[in-house]
Amino acid sequence: MSFLGDKYLISTEIGFAIFEKIKDLPIIDPHNHADVKEIADNQNYSDVWQLFAATDHYVWEMMRKRGVPEDYITGERTPKEKWLKLASVFPEFAGNPVYEWVHLDLRRYLNIRITLGPDTGLDIWRKANKSLAEASRRPRQLLDKIGVEVMCSTDDPIDMLEEHEAINKDAGRKLIRPTWRPDKAMKIANPGWRKYMKQVAKRFKSELNDIDELIAAMQDSHDYFAGCGCVASDHGVEVPLSGDADKKAADAAFKKAMDGKKLNPAEIEDFMSYFLGEVAEMNAEKNWVCQIHMGAVRDIRDRLFNTIGPDSGGDVASPNLEYLDPLKKFLNRFDDRLKVILYCLDASHQHLLATVARAFGNKVSLGSAWWLNDTPIGMRRQLEYIGSVDLLYNFAGMVSDSRKLLSYGSRFEMFRRVLSDVLGDMVTRGQMPYQVAEKLAVRVSYESPKELFGF
Amino acid sequence: MSFLGDKYLISTEIGFAIFEKIKDLPIIDPHNHADVKEIADNQNYSDVWQLFAATDHYVWEMMRKRGVPEDYITGERTPKEKWLKLASVFPEFAGNPVYEWVHLDLRRYLNIRITLGPDTGLDIWRKANKSLAEASRRPRQLLDKIGVEVMCSTDDPIDMLEEHEAINKDAGRKLIRPTWRPDKAMKIANPGWRKYMKQVAKRFKSELNDIDELIAAMQDSHDYFAGCGCVASDHGVEVPLSGDADKKAADAAFKKAMDGKKLNPAEIEDFMSYFLGEVAEMNAEKNWVCQIHMGAVRDIRDRLFNTIGPDSGGDVASPNLEYLDPLKKFLNRFDDRLKVILYCLDASHQHLLATVARAFGNKVSLGSAWWLNDTPIGMRRQLEYIGSVDLLYNFAGMVSDSRKLLSYGSRFEMFRRVLSDVLGDMVTRGQMPYQVAEKLAVRVSYESPKELFGF
Amino acid sequence: MSFLGDKYLISTEIGFAIFEKIKDLPIIDPHNHADVKEIADNQNYSDVWQLFAATDHYVWEMMRKRGVPEDYITGERTPKEKWLKLASVFPEFAGNPVYEWVHLDLRRYLNIRITLGPDTGLDIWRKANKSLAEASRRPRQLLDKIGVEVMCSTDDPIDMLEEHEAINKDAGRKLIRPTWRPDKAMKIANPGWRKYMKQVAKRFKSELNDIDELIAAMQDSHDYFAGCGCVASDHGVEVPLSGDADKKAADAAFKKAMDGKKLNPAEIEDFMSYFLGEVAEMNAEKNWVCQIHMGAVRDIRDRLFNTIGPDSGGDVASPNLEYLDPLKKFLNRFDDRLKVILYCLDASHQHLLATVARAFGNKVSLGSAWWLNDTPIGMRRQLEYIGSVDLLYNFAGMVSDSRKLLSYGSRFEMFRRVLSDVLGDMVTRGQMPYQVAEKLAVRVSYESPKELFGF
């Protein structure tokens, strides 16, 4: 019953037995937002704020919630001032997973078992920084400590991926793989799109005179990524895209946007839908996994977006998005010839997506509870539900989705504990034999993602 | 803690005590898709695949999910080949209710306690087939073994229902009653509608010159069904119908469709809404129960629908359907003069329907967790919620909704265990006295449906 | 395990320890529908029906659900006849919170531990009435017994609030504060709006020639309420309002409605949205709390509404309302300068609102599980979820929202028990240290609302 003790998140003996079997399995993290350069450079972290909070908008949002001025979050204050401010409000985060993740990270990777709060902030600042100065706490060493067997970063089609190569060469194995995420090319209505197109044109030596040339450049990039060990794409969409738009309409929208003219919603849809359909074809051909992240309505708080920019907070889930029609069209187009993972943000869409994954059979999997659902209760509700409609055996497994290296450890530990607890409950209630549950736990924690992504 | 043991799905002593009181109550199954001819013929089943899987798309979907080729599911392979293929992937179904149902059926009705898997498939094939060859495992004998007091099949208005009569005559009681389901007549936009209208015309000796004549034919059918012991209608709609359409508009739509012309959505709505309103009036007059199944978006996987047809899988729940407006109109039209049961597919509509059932008082009941929610977790969530908004006392109770005879046993057992567990938790938490919970369990398991349907 | 015993709703030792710390904290009830005159008059209640059921549509709805004729609910029958009829069906309410609330109230405030049912109704009628005749059971004495430190009634802008003043003068402290609820002025499409405008004109000596004059009258009222100790407004909306409408359009709609002409939906929206924006500005200026109750679709059962009127039952939650767009606009307009509490009716919007409260930081709080969710399971699900997305530390805390004086006690007890159970579970699962949970429980139960409302 102790805070983050052995039985953390596990309520049955059987659940604990299951956890014992999976807790030390290597970590497969098929989707994160790693700072690849940080890993390649492999320098010691300057301080505990840098490693624990500087890149983590989950932490930022909780600080704002407790009234901490932005200056101490993303602003000009020193890392030490920021850390101490974080410490001063940290006990008020209790109940939110940030409270658990930070304490897990302090314990598991820095051997600091003190609880963070106003009285201990300075002490932890000193102890943590001392620890972080050791050679064993550099990024690559931490990845080993965490037990990462393979992880996938999220990368732009124009990236050259040299750092991935350097890391893997040094590691002597495919430790880090890129993920091909062409959102910047697809999101034709974004302010920076034309500028980005110029970069695409330069990178792939194309005039980009029409949509065929854009798709050809994307094909070049897709092939290049494949050569660098990429096995998956990723696509972030508020509402799914049908992938069945007319090419002529998409081409007209493309040319209009290239001319700097504003597109109407139907034109945006035409372009994006056609684009996704074409790049999904590339995935199908190479047997890549096509990951679709749905339902995040981003940057709704103007003040944050206007002063700090994207990925800083202010993102929400919405239950009122119409997923089914476009998803149906997309999945029918690629039926049984494309591996798809559906990640869903709003919990009220969980039911829909589980039934869709069931309906489309073997190649369509549910992804792990995403972002605002990546919490003990969010994961529990999802795991309870997935198996009852779809199959846990087909679940794509955990991803950290994190911008913070340490998260690969604490988030996977949280997931494995919740999974063990859910399966332990099912065995305790007589819903499956113990041996079956144990195999299922190993499958979901390790084998499934390895098989699905072909690592 | 043993698999499917005495305490299966029950976590408290009190819950178990409640279950002891209800486990042997006769089964009232007011809604299923029984193969009435199979029961009337009362021949031994040819093999275990035939009884356990050949008619059950729940099993088919899980096989597809594990990559089994269609040939081994609905295709040309022999029952033995299909069964062995099912066995080879069966452990991978763990967590899905199919895993529990099949094992329950093997144990309860064939005395086979072996766990199904690749190593045991052939052994179970032999043992089960031997068992199924016994006279005591014919359909009617199985119904007795399951403890079915009364069940309602789902029937078309043009059916003659001779088999119902034969079964009941032989049983010496009203064992099986028909349910009047006029969906084929109502679904004017379905491809086979005109052909079906010809059958209706022939059956009821009507010209079907206008909508009055169609309604008159339906009235004839309704009366005929009543004579055969029918006490309920059933209607499957993606979105509820308001039942308040204008007769002239409905008539015009009817005539246009009879002429083979394509209707627009408003015309379809006019016809269907008027039709449902009229047949609901017939129900009100005879004090029948009007069952409405809402929210299933059917046949979304083109490949399945185009090759195998409806009721083969590929059906999903959608949270983005607008229920409230039509439901409000329908329920106001029939306020307090029509018994209505609302069955809801998407779990995110559970809240809405519970509040609607509360708002409209005594005659409007919630039906059991349907189809994709007919699982331990789905039933638990529904039962927890129903009582907190509406009343468990008014709950319409369990239905098997099954196309597989054995399911009447295993599904009712699952329901009664979950109900006992939910009520056991409530007593344990001090929310009601034990005696009250025990009475409520008997009410929900047996008395409520009996009273509501008037069996 | 005993009915409503010490451990009622609490399943862990730790949860019970937490409850011991908070159970006797004074009650802060920032939102209810108190009959202020009843409290000011401080007469003994005539009978137990009057106190327990006569003003409580939660009870009425359950009686209707069990088929009790309206005559025994809101009709002409005597209180005794009504009470005995209630008793005759009361055991059938088990599972619904009404069953627990009524029994809690009998035990805690009348010392009657008999379970209500057909056999005990008359006995309880006599005992309860005898008890209610005592001086210690008058409204003000009951408020003391319940432990109410401060409560806020819900009041109309034209109210003079004399009774509030009298009560507080007599109590020697600010026991009761008004809440400014200008819904009648805002709901321009309601039948009684023009008549109400005449009352506003008279009360504030204004011609109400244009919308500026209406806003000025509202400002007068707002100032008057402030002088009477008001610190919060309250707004009931089916769908949130953006608060960003154009003044000219709003003025035109106002004048048109004042002329008795029917407005179209866009005009209604223009007026209401502008109105809410202007009154929210008054709140921002005075640092009041702006409470928004969203998602109730009211009066859907025509028969009830036409015969009894509003607030009599027939109200439902709907998941298909579009909240995000208007809410985003409203919260961006007032970002960080207005304290807002979001109360959500449909459980499927819980996710959205939790993410919105997280996105907008410190000044935006989630309100307690409202109305149809104000149940053990509804509160539990909300409390589990809030902390995982937003912070429990920022939760606005419990409100009774009740029209029945006794409810302040039983509803707060239910809430505190569920809160203790949820936090007890989290400590038991190792998610936070015990001391942190205990502080959080005190914060949520008492300190948060006190700080937020500035009592």
Side-chain angles (χ1 to χ4, degrees):
Chain A
M1 307 286 160
S2 64
F3 179 47
L4 304 179
D6 282 355
K7 301 279 172 72
Y8 168 53
L9 294 176
I10 300 176
S11 55
T12 62
E13 285 307 310
I14 291 169
F16 191 65
I18 292 170
F19 182 62
E20 287 287 315
K21 292 287 174 186
I22 62 171
K23 75 184 168 82
D24 297 322
L25 289 174
I27 283 175
I28 309 270
D29 185 6
H31 175 65
N32 67 40
H33 296 272
D35 182 338
V36 186
K37 188 173 179 313
E38 173 186 292
I39 299 171
D41 291 350
N42 205 36
Q43 298 298 309
N44 282 96
Y45 290 96
S46 55
D47 58 74
V48 64
W49 171 266
Q50 185 58 37
L51 176 55
F52 276 66
T55 62
D56 188 351
H57 58 67
Y58 290 73
V59 174
W60 304 350
E61 296 250 88
M62 295 306 111
M63 293 178 79
R64 288 182 196 121
K65 200 74 211 175
R66 291 310 310 136
V68 172
E70 202 59 43
D71 210 26
Y72 288 86
I73 304 172
T74 57
E76 294 301 307
R77 295 286 172 166
T78 65
K80 185 175 178 181
E81 287 172 317
K82 290 175 176 173
W83 177 261
L84 294 179
K85 189 61 87 176
L86 173 64
S88 75
V89 295
F90 203 77
E92 300 166 8
F93 295 4
N96 189 283
V98 165
Y99 187 79
E100 294 160 50
W101 289 326
V102 165
H103 281 127
L104 280 174
D105 290 337
L106 286 171
R107 286 166 184 233
R108 301 289 185 263
Y109 307 111
L110 304 187
N111 294 324
I112 295 173
R113 298 182 58 85
I114 310 165
T115 303
L116 183 59
D119 300 338
T120 58
L122 188 59
D123 188 25
I124 293 178
W125 170 260
R126 287 176 187 145
K127 287 196 171 109
N129 289 351
K130 196 175 156 198
S131 179
L132 287 173
E134 292 170 22
S136 66
R137 264 64 176 226
R138 286 173 297 160
R140 288 253 310 287
Q141 283 65 32
L142 281 173
L143 287 179
D144 284 349
K145 203 174 166 68
I146 290 167
V148 176
E149 181 177 313
V150 56
M151 56 183 267
C152 299
S153 57
T154 302
D155 307 277
D156 193 277
I158 62 173
D159 282 356
M160 297 305 296
L161 310 174
E162 298 100 335
E163 286 141 347
H164 291 75
E165 208 181 330
I167 293 167
N168 290 339
K169 199 173 165 189
D170 194 72
R173 70 176 203 278
K174 284 255 181 242
L175 166 60
I176 183 164
R177 290 169 181 269
T179 302
W180 194 69
R181 180 156 177 160
D183 283 10
K184 273 192 183 171
M186 181 178 71
K187 295 189 172 172
I188 196 166
N190 277 11
W193 183 81
R194 275 178 86 204
K195 197 174 151 197
Y196 177 73
M197 280 297 116
K198 285 187 186 136
Q199 297 176 279
V200 170
K202 193 175 162 197
R203 165 74 179 85
F204 296 103
K205 297 172 183 48
S206 167
E207 297 284 328
L208 300 185
N209 286 314
D210 57 25
I211 201 162
D212 278 339
E213 291 189 17
L214 174 64
I215 298 301
M218 289 296 113
Q219 182 71 61
D220 286 351
S221 169
H222 204 270
D223 295 344
Y224 180 82
F225 269 60
C228 298
C230 182
V231 293
S233 72
D234 185 38
H235 311 276
V237 287
E238 194 169 304
V239 170
L241 295 162
S242 60
D244 70 346
D246 177 61
K247 184 177 167 178
K248 251 165 107 171
D251 187 50
F254 174 74
K255 286 170 179 161
K256 188 170 168 186
M258 289 293 273
D259 286 348
K261 288 173 193 152
K262 200 174 148 59
L263 304 188
N264 63 40
E267 291 164 337
I268 294 168
E269 171 80 19
D270 281 337
F271 173 80
M272 286 176 62
S273 179
Y274 179 79
F275 181 93
L276 185 68
E278 292 306 295
V279 302
E281 286 289 356
M282 300 174 200
N283 289 345
E285 197 169 308
K286 290 200 186 80
N287 201 26
W288 280 13
V289 178
C290 184
Q291 298 177 98
I292 304 181
H293 282 85
M294 285 170 275
V297 182
R298 293 172 192 266
D299 306 316
I300 73 158
R301 191 177 184 187
D302 296 344
R303 209 159 59 94
L304 276 187
F305 185 69
N306 296 335
T307 58
I308 312 176
D311 299 322
S312 62
D315 312 299
V316 302
S318 171
N320 294 108
L321 304 173
E322 170 54 48
Y323 283 10
L324 184 54
D325 190 60
L327 209 47
K328 184 176 67 176
K329 288 176 183 159
F330 182 81
L331 294 175
N332 273 315
R333 171 169 172 180
F334 292 100
D335 191 348
D336 249 348
R337 58 190 190 90
L338 177 67
K339 294 187 286 190
V340 177
I341 301 178
L342 305 174
Y343 297 94
C344 153
L345 195 57
D346 193 87
S348 67
H349 281 102
Q350 204 57 259
H351 318 276
L352 168 66
L353 289 197
T355 60
V356 167
R358 171 190 175 123
F360 280 92
N362 187 249
K363 294 279 182 93
V364 179
S365 302
L366 291 171
S368 60
W370 176 36
W371 198 347
L372 304 160
N373 289 312
D374 181 8
T375 69
I377 193 74
M379 292 191 289
R380 165 169 272 279
R381 294 280 175 262
Q382 194 206 21
L383 289 170
E384 285 170 349
Y385 194 74
I386 288 176
S388 85
V389 173
D390 200 38
L391 287 180
L392 280 168
Y393 208 86
N394 283 58
F395 179 46
M398 181 63 183
V399 301
S400 78
D401 191 28
S402 182
R403 297 168 193 278
K404 183 166 86 174
L405 186 139
L406 276 191
S407 299
Y408 315 153
S410 48
R411 293 192 181 196
F412 274 80
E413 178 176 342
M414 192 182 270
F415 172 78
R416 289 176 180 187
R417 286 179 178 276
V418 173
L419 173 67
S420 300
D421 196 41
V422 168
L423 291 175
D425 279 355
M426 294 188 90
V427 173
T428 303
R429 287 197 300 259
Q431 297 184 262
M432 64 179 76
Y434 176 77
Q435 290 305 330
V436 168
E438 192 183 290
K439 275 188 193 153
L440 195 48
V442 173
R443 163 91 189 173
V444 168
S445 303
Y446 182 70
E447 295 168 353
S448 263
K450 201 159 171 165
E451 180 187 306
L452 180 59
F453 284 83
F455 294 141
Chain B
M1 308 280 165
S2 63
F3 178 48
L4 303 179
D6 281 354
K7 302 280 173 69
Y8 168 54
L9 293 176
I10 299 176
S11 55
T12 62
E13 285 307 310
I14 292 169
F16 191 66
I18 292 171
F19 182 63
E20 287 287 315
K21 292 287 174 187
I22 62 172
K23 74 185 169 81
D24 296 322
L25 290 173
I27 283 176
I28 309 271
D29 184 8
H31 175 66
N32 66 39
H33 295 271
D35 182 339
V36 186
K37 188 174 180 313
E38 174 186 292
I39 300 171
D41 291 349
N42 204 36
Q43 299 299 308
N44 282 95
Y45 291 95
S46 56
D47 57 74
V48 63
W49 171 266
Q50 186 58 35
L51 176 56
F52 276 67
T55 62
D56 187 351
H57 58 67
Y58 291 73
V59 174
W60 304 350
E61 295 250 89
M62 294 306 111
M63 293 178 79
R64 287 179 198 124
K65 201 70 211 178
R66 292 310 309 137
V68 172
E70 202 59 43
D71 209 27
Y72 287 88
I73 304 172
T74 57
E76 295 301 308
R77 295 285 172 167
T78 65
K80 184 174 178 182
E81 285 172 319
K82 289 174 177 174
W83 176 261
L84 294 179
K85 188 63 88 179
L86 172 64
S88 74
V89 295
F90 203 77
E92 300 167 9
F93 295 4
N96 189 283
V98 165
Y99 187 80
E100 295 160 50
W101 289 325
V102 166
H103 282 127
L104 282 173
D105 290 337
L106 286 171
R107 286 167 183 234
R108 301 290 184 262
Y109 307 111
L110 304 187
N111 293 326
I112 295 174
R113 298 181 58 85
I114 309 165
T115 304
L116 183 59
D119 299 338
T120 59
L122 187 60
D123 187 27
I124 293 177
W125 171 261
R126 286 174 187 148
K127 289 194 170 111
N129 288 352
K130 197 175 153 195
S131 180
L132 287 173
E134 294 170 20
S136 66
R137 263 65 176 228
R138 286 174 296 160
R140 289 252 311 288
Q141 283 65 31
L142 281 171
L143 287 179
D144 284 348
K145 202 173 165 70
I146 291 168
V148 176
E149 180 176 315
V150 56
M151 56 184 266
C152 299
S153 58
T154 302
D155 307 276
D156 194 275
I158 62 173
D159 281 356
M160 297 304 298
L161 310 173
E162 299 100 334
E163 286 139 348
H164 291 75
E165 209 181 329
I167 294 167
N168 291 339
K169 199 174 166 187
D170 194 72
R173 69 177 205 275
K174 283 253 181 246
L175 165 61
I176 183 163
R177 290 170 181 268
T179 302
W180 194 69
R181 181 155 177 161
D183 283 10
K184 273 191 182 172
M186 180 179 72
K187 294 190 173 173
I188 195 168
N190 276 10
W193 182 82
R194 276 177 86 204
K195 197 174 150 196
Y196 178 73
M197 279 298 115
K198 285 184 188 139
Q199 297 176 278
V200 171
K202 192 176 164 196
R203 165 77 179 84
F204 297 103
K205 298 173 183 46
S206 167
E207 298 283 328
L208 299 184
N209 286 314
D210 56 25
I211 200 161
D212 278 338
E213 291 189 17
L214 174 64
I215 299 300
M218 290 296 114
Q219 182 72 61
D220 285 351
S221 168
H222 203 271
D223 296 343
Y224 181 82
F225 268 61
C228 298
C230 183
V231 293
S233 72
D234 184 39
H235 311 275
V237 287
E238 193 170 304
V239 170
L241 294 162
S242 59
D244 70 345
D246 177 62
K247 182 178 168 177
K248 249 165 109 172
D251 187 49
F254 173 74
K255 286 171 179 158
K256 188 170 169 187
M258 289 293 274
D259 286 347
K261 288 174 192 150
K262 200 174 148 58
L263 304 189
N264 64 39
E267 290 164 338
I268 295 168
E269 172 80 20
D270 281 337
F271 173 80
M272 286 176 61
S273 179
Y274 178 79
F275 182 94
L276 186 68
E278 291 307 294
V279 301
E281 285 290 356
M282 300 174 199
N283 288 345
E285 198 169 308
K286 290 201 187 79
N287 201 27
W288 281 14
V289 178
C290 184
Q291 301 176 96
I292 305 181
H293 283 86
M294 286 170 273
V297 182
R298 294 173 191 264
D299 305 316
I300 73 158
R301 191 177 185 189
D302 296 343
R303 210 159 60 92
L304 277 187
F305 184 70
N306 295 336
T307 57
I308 312 176
D311 299 323
S312 62
D315 313 299
V316 302
S318 171
N320 293 108
L321 304 173
E322 171 53 48
Y323 284 9
L324 184 53
D325 191 60
L327 210 46
K328 185 176 67 177
K329 289 176 184 158
F330 182 81
L331 294 175
N332 273 314
R333 170 168 171 181
F334 293 99
D335 192 349
D336 250 347
R337 57 189 191 91
L338 177 66
K339 295 188 284 190
V340 177
I341 301 179
L342 305 173
Y343 296 93
C344 152
L345 194 58
D346 193 87
S348 66
H349 281 102
Q350 203 57 259
H351 318 277
L352 168 66
L353 289 198
T355 61
V356 167
R358 171 189 176 124
F360 279 91
N362 186 250
K363 294 279 182 95
V364 179
S365 301
L366 291 171
S368 60
W370 176 37
W371 196 349
L372 303 161
N373 290 313
D374 181 8
T375 68
I377 194 73
M379 292 191 289
R380 165 170 271 278
R381 294 281 174 261
Q382 194 206 22
L383 289 170
E384 286 171 349
Y385 194 75
I386 288 175
S388 84
V389 173
D390 199 38
L391 286 181
L392 279 167
Y393 209 87
N394 283 59
F395 179 47
M398 181 63 182
V399 300
S400 77
D401 190 28
S402 183
R403 295 169 194 278
K404 184 166 84 176
L405 186 140
L406 276 191
S407 298
Y408 315 152
S410 49
R411 294 193 180 194
F412 274 80
E413 177 177 342
M414 193 183 268
F415 173 78
R416 289 177 180 186
R417 286 178 177 275
V418 173
L419 174 68
S420 299
D421 195 42
V422 168
L423 292 174
D425 279 354
M426 294 187 90
V427 174
T428 304
R429 287 197 300 258
Q431 297 184 262
M432 64 179 75
Y434 176 78
Q435 291 306 330
V436 169
E438 192 182 290
K439 275 190 193 150
L440 195 48
V442 173
R443 163 93 188 168
V444 169
S445 304
Y446 182 71
E447 296 167 354
S448 263
K450 201 158 171 163
E451 179 186 306
L452 179 60
F453 284 83
F455 293 140
Chain C
M1 307 279 166
S2 62
F3 179 47
L4 303 179
D6 282 353
K7 302 280 173 69
Y8 169 52
L9 293 177
I10 300 176
S11 54
T12 63
E13 285 307 310
I14 291 170
F16 191 66
I18 291 171
F19 182 63
E20 287 289 315
K21 292 288 173 186
I22 62 173
K23 73 187 170 81
D24 296 323
L25 290 174
I27 283 175
I28 310 270
D29 185 7
H31 175 66
N32 66 40
H33 296 272
D35 182 339
V36 185
K37 189 173 180 313
E38 173 186 292
I39 299 169
D41 291 350
N42 204 36
Q43 299 298 308
N44 283 97
Y45 291 95
S46 55
D47 57 74
V48 63
W49 171 267
Q50 186 57 37
L51 176 55
F52 277 66
T55 62
D56 187 351
H57 57 68
Y58 290 73
V59 174
W60 304 349
E61 295 249 88
M62 294 307 111
M63 293 178 79
R64 287 181 197 124
K65 199 73 211 176
R66 292 308 311 135
V68 171
E70 202 58 44
D71 210 28
Y72 288 88
I73 304 172
T74 57
E76 295 302 307
R77 296 285 172 165
T78 66
K80 185 175 178 183
E81 287 172 317
K82 290 175 177 174
W83 176 261
L84 294 179
K85 188 61 90 178
L86 172 65
S88 74
V89 295
F90 204 75
E92 300 166 10
F93 295 4
N96 189 282
V98 166
Y99 187 80
E100 296 160 48
W101 289 326
V102 166
H103 282 127
L104 282 173
D105 290 338
L106 285 171
R107 286 166 184 234
R108 302 289 185 263
Y109 307 111
L110 304 187
N111 293 326
I112 295 173
R113 298 181 57 85
I114 310 166
T115 304
L116 183 59
D119 299 338
T120 60
L122 187 60
D123 188 26
I124 294 178
W125 170 261
R126 288 175 186 146
K127 289 194 169 110
N129 289 351
K130 195 175 157 197
S131 180
L132 287 172
E134 294 171 20
S136 65
R137 263 66 175 226
R138 285 172 300 159
R140 288 254 310 288
Q141 283 64 33
L142 280 172
L143 287 180
D144 284 348
K145 202 172 166 69
I146 291 169
V148 176
E149 181 178 314
V150 56
M151 57 183 265
C152 298
S153 57
T154 302
D155 307 277
D156 194 276
I158 62 173
D159 282 357
M160 296 306 295
L161 310 174
E162 299 100 334
E163 287 142 346
H164 291 76
E165 210 180 327
I167 294 167
N168 290 338
K169 199 173 167 189
D170 194 73
R173 69 176 203 278
K174 284 255 180 242
L175 166 61
I176 183 164
R177 291 169 181 268
T179 301
W180 194 69
R181 180 156 177 161
D183 283 10
K184 273 191 182 171
M186 180 178 72
K187 294 188 174 175
I188 195 166
N190 276 10
W193 183 81
R194 276 177 86 202
K195 195 173 153 197
Y196 179 73
M197 279 298 115
K198 285 185 187 140
Q199 297 177 277
V200 170
K202 191 175 166 197
R203 164 75 178 86
F204 298 103
K205 299 172 180 47
S206 168
E207 299 283 328
L208 299 185
N209 287 312
D210 56 26
I211 199 161
D212 278 338
E213 292 189 18
L214 173 64
I215 299 300
M218 290 297 113
Q219 183 71 62
D220 285 352
S221 169
H222 204 271
D223 295 343
Y224 181 82
F225 268 61
C228 298
C230 182
V231 293
S233 71
D234 184 38
H235 310 277
V237 286
E238 192 169 304
V239 170
L241 295 162
S242 59
D244 70 345
D246 178 61
K247 183 178 168 177
K248 251 164 108 169
D251 187 50
F254 174 73
K255 286 171 179 159
K256 187 171 168 186
M258 288 294 273
D259 286 348
K261 290 173 191 150
K262 200 173 148 59
L263 304 189
N264 63 41
E267 291 165 338
I268 295 168
E269 171 81 19
D270 281 337
F271 173 81
M272 286 177 63
S273 179
Y274 179 80
F275 182 93
L276 185 67
E278 291 306 295
V279 302
E281 284 291 355
M282 300 174 199
N283 289 346
E285 198 169 308
K286 291 200 185 81
N287 200 28
W288 280 15
V289 177
C290 184
Q291 298 176 97
I292 305 181
H293 282 85
M294 284 170 274
V297 183
R298 294 173 192 266
D299 306 316
I300 72 159
R301 191 177 184 187
D302 296 344
R303 209 158 60 93
L304 277 186
F305 184 70
N306 295 336
T307 58
I308 312 176
D311 300 322
S312 62
D315 313 299
V316 301
S318 171
N320 293 109
L321 304 172
E322 170 53 49
Y323 283 9
L324 183 54
D325 190 60
L327 209 46
K328 184 175 68 176
K329 288 176 184 160
F330 182 81
L331 294 175
N332 273 315
R333 170 168 172 181
F334 292 100
D335 192 349
D336 250 347
R337 59 190 189 89
L338 177 66
K339 294 188 285 190
V340 177
I341 300 179
L342 306 174
Y343 296 94
C344 153
L345 193 58
D346 192 87
S348 66
H349 282 104
Q350 204 58 259
H351 317 275
L352 168 67
L353 289 197
T355 61
V356 167
R358 171 190 176 124
F360 279 92
N362 186 250
K363 293 280 182 92
V364 179
S365 301
L366 292 171
S368 60
W370 176 36
W371 199 345
L372 303 162
N373 290 312
D374 182 8
T375 68
I377 193 74
M379 292 191 289
R380 165 170 272 277
R381 294 280 175 261
Q382 193 205 24
L383 289 170
E384 285 171 348
Y385 194 76
I386 287 175
S388 85
V389 172
D390 200 38
L391 287 181
L392 280 167
Y393 209 86
N394 283 60
F395 179 48
M398 182 64 183
V399 302
S400 78
D401 190 29
S402 184
R403 295 169 194 279
K404 182 166 88 174
L405 186 138
L406 276 192
S407 298
Y408 316 152
S410 49
R411 294 194 180 194
F412 273 81
E413 178 177 342
M414 192 182 268
F415 173 79
R416 288 177 181 187
R417 286 178 177 275
V418 173
L419 174 67
S420 299
D421 195 41
V422 168
L423 292 175
D425 278 355
M426 295 188 90
V427 174
T428 303
R429 287 197 300 258
Q431 296 184 263
M432 64 179 74
Y434 175 78
Q435 290 305 330
V436 169
E438 192 182 290
K439 275 189 192 152
L440 195 48
V442 173
R443 162 93 189 170
V444 169
S445 304
Y446 181 70
E447 296 168 354
S448 264
K450 200 159 173 165
E451 180 187 305
L452 179 60
F453 284 83
F455 294 141

